[in-house]
Amino acid sequence: MTDVLIAGSGPTGLTLAIELALRGISVRILDRRTGPHHESRGKGLNTSSLEVFDRLGVAERIHARGTRGLVLRKYYDGAHINDSPSGDGVLIGQWQTEEILRDRLADLGVRVEYGTEIVGIDQSDDGVTARLADGRAVRAGFLAGCDGGGSTTRKSLGIPFEGYTDDTQMMVIGDVTAPGLSRDRWHQWFTSDGGGVMLCPIPGTDSFQFQGSPEVDEHGEPLPPSLESFQHLFDRHAGTDGIRLAEPTWLSVWRVNVRMAPRLREGRVFLAGDAAHVHPIAGGLGMNTGVLDAVALGRTLASDLTGEGGREGRRGGGGAHGEGRRDALDGYEAERLPAAAAVLADTAERYTRVIAAVREPGRGTEAGMETAMD
């Protein structure tokens, strides 16, 4: 029987898998997708994540693929206003981060099992059985749900996702090329009517991550993202002749979601990352919070599985050892649930600051990187 089964191979699931494999704990990681994605998504790693990745043996690869100190170039109503630094983190596409983590995990003898979807979960005193879409079942000591905001794991446990979605606050986002646009700047065009577009170069590629206010139809309803609508938005806000966006490889919509699970553990099943909490993107804290979840959960599970948390409790499930084990396993939720609540409050406040800041000439996303005391 596998010690730990992980659902989801994003940054949270991969970090957890590496944490456990480095400790000699047997792990399998499943993903319902047919293969790796190639989307920039969460593109910033902060110093906390970089410290974790240094310990996991991937920091050198991250720094080699990513960019530090990218300049934010701000425009207002078409005019260049100023430039400002982007902070101390590393800019790198999420697909690139995941690729590096997958390679590290493969070095440890573990590979992501794609095309494997969990559709149900059963628990007993000594383990978890994950029922798969193809009719098979996988048995493990513990299950970690790192399967995103729409988490099947969370839904299977009946754990609610409390909070709200604000459909009036949304953004179109995607990966495109922009031949002729300089790649040594994160271009941010804002207008006095509160609209804007941003193009951020993804290092090591020809792509930019596009973010912008959505186009609307004659009824004021937002139009779905498309290369054509991206070009319309760019022309309207940037006013730069001769730049034609091309080669869209990812088109999506982002909405303000502020939600979290009221508990992170149900017996032998745990939640981490977006499966446990989602929040505004201001400050770039989403993926980084998931990495810290993975570290805490890896430490908790390793403590139990290696005997520090009471292996007798894991096998027997009762008595003083069982009580001590339950206390140790509950430590993950005790640590990370308050952290998640704090991040939700923090990012909501940061997002409000950004929305206000972009109406001021020369201000942009750096408003979301500042702490409340800056």
Side-chain angles (χ1 to χ4, degrees), residues 2-354:
T2 301
D3 286 328
V4 180
L5 181 67
I6 300 172
S9 66
T12 302
L14 290 166
T15 300
L16 175 59
I18 296 169
E19 284 276 1
L20 295 171
L22 284 170
R23 291 176 164 90
I25 293 169
S26 63
V27 60
R28 291 177 65 179
I29 180 167
L30 314 182
D31 200 302
R32 64 185 176 185
R33 295 174 301 177
T34 57
H37 71 85
H38 203 276
E39 301 163 0
S40 59
R41 299 189 189 179
K43 60 187 182 298
L45 296 172
N46 63 22
T47 54
S48 295
S49 291
L50 293 172
E51 289 171 3
V52 171
F53 290 159
D54 183 48
R55 181 170 52 77
L56 299 185
V58 297
E60 187 174 332
R61 300 181 217 183
I62 292 287
H63 287 294
R65 295 280 298 270
T67 298
R68 298 192 83 147
L70 186 69
V71 171
L72 310 181
R73 172 154 288 182
K74 269 70 64 66
Y75 309 80
Y76 197 77
D77 285 341
H80 172 220
I81 302 299
N82 62 26
D83 296 341
S84 62
S86 58
D88 298 328
V90 171
L91 174 72
I92 182 171
Q94 184 172 321
W95 69 268
Q96 296 167 310
T97 297
E98 292 179 11
E99 184 175 81
I100 291 168
L101 293 173
R102 278 196 307 274
D103 289 345
R104 177 59 173 137
L105 189 59
D107 292 342
L108 298 169
V110 181
R111 296 187 181 276
V112 177
E113 300 175 45
Y114 287 106
T116 309
E117 182 178 3
I118 295 175
V119 296
I121 299 167
D122 300 306
Q123 297 195 58
S124 63
D125 288 343
D126 61 353
V128 181
T129 300
R131 290 179 276 111
L132 306 182
D134 61 8
R136 292 181 297 144
V138 177
R139 186 75 173 161
F142 296 98
L143 170 63
C146 306
D147 45 349
S151 173
T152 298
T153 305
R154 189 188 65 245
K155 293 174 182 176
S156 296
L157 297 173
I159 297 177
F161 211 28
E162 299 173 349
Y164 65 90
T165 299
D166 185 353
D167 287 321
T168 67
Q169 295 288 331
M170 61 184 298
M171 175 174 66
V172 290
I173 187 169
D175 292 332
V176 297
T177 59
L181 185 65
S182 62
R183 297 187 55 82
D184 59 349
R185 300 287 187 271
W186 182 350
H187 302 274
Q188 304 184 1
W189 289 273
F190 301 109
T191 54
S192 50
D193 63 3
V197 297
M198 298 184 288
L199 282 166
C200 179
I202 303 303
T205 76
D206 293 326
S207 293
F208 288 82
Q209 185 184 90
F210 178 101
Q211 296 172 294
S213 313
E215 279 200 300
V216 296
D217 62 19
E218 64 273 18
H219 305 294
E221 294 297 319
L223 293 172
S226 67
L227 180 61
E228 182 181 21
S229 69
F230 280 15
Q231 186 69 54
H232 290 163
L233 291 168
F234 179 82
D235 291 342
R236 181 183 310 146
H237 295 293
T240 301
D241 294 332
I243 301 295
R244 303 301 300 174
L245 307 182
E247 300 181 45
T249 56
W250 172 51
L251 299 170
S252 189
V253 174
W254 176 85
R255 292 177 174 83
V256 171
N257 276 298
V258 182
R259 295 182 180 275
M260 64 180 289
R263 60 186 188 278
L264 305 183
R265 178 189 174 204
E266 186 71 32
R268 291 176 166 271
V269 184
F270 297 80
L271 300 176
D274 286 356
H277 44 76
V278 293
H279 44 79
I281 60 176
L285 300 180
M287 177 170 58
N288 294 285
T289 303
V291 167
L292 296 182
D293 285 351
V295 171
L297 183 53
R299 183 175 64 245
T300 297
L301 294 175
S303 177
D304 180 85
L305 289 162
T306 59
E308 296 173 17
R311 178 171 289 274
E312 296 88 343
R314 181 169 73 89
R315 288 176 173 170
H321 290 297
E323 292 298 326
R325 173 181 165 271
R326 281 193 292 273
D327 289 344
L329 293 174
D330 285 340
Y332 167 70
E333 180 178 298
E335 175 183 346
R336 296 309 298 167
L337 200 59
V343 169
L344 260 67
D346 183 28
T347 53
E349 196 275 333
R350 288 173 187 253
Y351 182 74
T352 299
R353 290 208 309 269
V354 171

